[in-house]
Amino acid sequence: MKLKKSAKGNSEISTASLPDIIFMLLFFFMVTTTMRDTKLLVKVIPPDATEVQRLEKKSLVEYIYIGPPVNKKYGDETRIQINDQFISGLHEISEWATTIIINRPEDERKFLTTSLKVHKDTKMGIVTDIKQELRKANALKINYSTRKNLANK
Amino acid sequence: MARPVNEINAGSMADIAFLLLIFFLVTTTMDTDSGITRKLPPPPPEDMEDIKVKERNIFKVLVNKNDRLLVNGEPGDVRDLRRQAKEFLANKNLKSGAVPEDRPEKKEVDIPLLGGNVWISKGIISLKNDRGTSYDMYIQVQNELAAAIRELRDEMTQDYFGMRFDQLTDEDKIKAIQKAIPVAISEAEPEDIGGK
């Protein structure tokens, strides 16, 4: 008698809604996923900083990668990568930046940000050169990409 | 004769969804890019003359190719930089334009939210680095200077609005504080100071 009663109370949890729950999660991740579209040709370990700001609008951010090539056949010297390839001369930066600015509608232009992803052992010389090139193209808003480190020192 | 209705077996639906879910879980990168945002000065016009700024209004930071600091002519340390920059830019009394001889001058600006005409510091931090300076050091210096300005803004926001600067949501209040304590960091036109 006692055994029968406990067997009756032991009802199973319905799993009928499980697919729906999973689908919901699936859609969430499908929507939030951004596939990495550029393949990094240079090694970039950004320096640490505490005073970081988030880059809000990703569509308004353009990236420049600066660091030693990943592939050793390109040597050890610091190279600059824009989109999917190395650039051969510094003048390409201002040309590239100008093209980007022209192709944007007028009201978006002043919010355009160039994110500099620079390897931390890079010398400032090349970074200064890039900044000068960006100034020439009037791409004035820049962001030094850093990792957030709260326990600084 | 009624045919038996063929129903697709939906039992494996959950498994398929799971598989897709795991795929997207793995490929998702939720990295939000963050960093220190700075505004570059517009390109200098051809006939630009050097702008003269009084010595007392400048806080000079030099970084050489060995990542050593020279702060206002004396060897410095990146750990003291925040305090030094804060002391230099500090502006305790917005109501008066009187400053001692050794402090940066003030100028009068109209900021209605802070009580009409207020006196803000004319101090400028001048940052100069060598081509051989490491990027890591440069960011550390920029970070300390940004921290000094952030702390000053926090203090002022606390005094006027009773919260931290990053807690402000009112656009006008943010603008007011930004106007009272601007990011006064000026970077010198590049030149080689220590060779390669």
Side-chain angles (χ1 to χ4, degrees), chain A residues 37-38 53-65 83 96 100 104 108-109 111-117 141-145, chain B residues 32-35 37:
Chain A
D37 46 7
T38 42
Q53 289 151 295
R54 292 250 306 269
L55 279 175
E56 299 293 345
K57 285 236 170 76
K58 275 210 167 156
S59 58
L60 292 173
V61 182
E62 300 292 337
Y63 296 93
I64 298 180
Y65 304 91
N83 296 329
W96 166 78
I100 283 171
R104 293 278 181 165
E108 279 183 10
R109 284 180 194 172
F111 298 112
L112 272 177
T113 308
T114 312
S115 175
L116 301 180
K117 289 188 175 282
K141 216 174 156 202
I142 57 166
N143 181 283
Y144 304 107
S145 192
Chain B
T32 43
D33 272 303
S34 58
T37 305

Side-chain angles (χ1 to χ4, degrees), chain A residues 26 29-30 33-36, chain B residues 18-30:
Chain A
L26 174 65
F29 279 101
M30 274 175 76
T33 294
T34 48
M35 299 268 180
R36 188 174 281 276
Chain B
F18 250 125
L19 213 75
L20 280 167
L21 174 65
I22 288 163
F23 169 73
F24 280 102
L25 261 171
V26 170
T27 54
T28 296
T29 47
M30 288 226 222

Side-chain angles (χ1 to χ4, degrees), chain A residues 29-30 33-34 47 50-51 53 55 58 63 117-118 120 122-125 129 131 135 140 142-144 146, chain B residues 24-25 28-29 31 33-38 40-44 131-133 135-136 138 143 150 187 189:
Chain A
F29 279 101
M30 274 175 76
T33 294
T34 48
T50 52
E51 309 298 315
Q53 289 151 295
L55 279 175
K58 275 210 167 156
Y63 296 93
K117 289 188 175 282
V118 187
K120 61 180 182 180
T122 311
K123 296 286 178 212
M124 273 309 287
D129 290 341
K131 276 156 69 180
R135 279 175 71 186
L140 299 178
I142 57 166
N143 181 283
Y144 304 107
T146 54
Chain B
F24 280 102
L25 261 171
T28 296
T29 47
D31 57 345
D33 272 303
S34 58
I36 300 172
T37 305
R38 282 284 166 269
L40 296 171
R131 290 188 68 86
T133 307
Y135 182 68
D136 196 20
Y138 175 76
N143 188 51
R150 198 248 314 148
E187 284 188 68
E189 295 289 326

Side-chain angles (χ1 to χ4, degrees), chain B residues 122-140:
Chain B
K122 276 168 100 175
I124 293 171
I125 297 172
S126 157
L127 174 60
K128 200 167 185 178
N129 58 268
D130 189 77
R131 290 188 68 86
T133 307
S134 83
Y135 182 68
D136 196 20
M137 188 63 190
Y138 175 76
I139 287 298
Q140 276 186 52

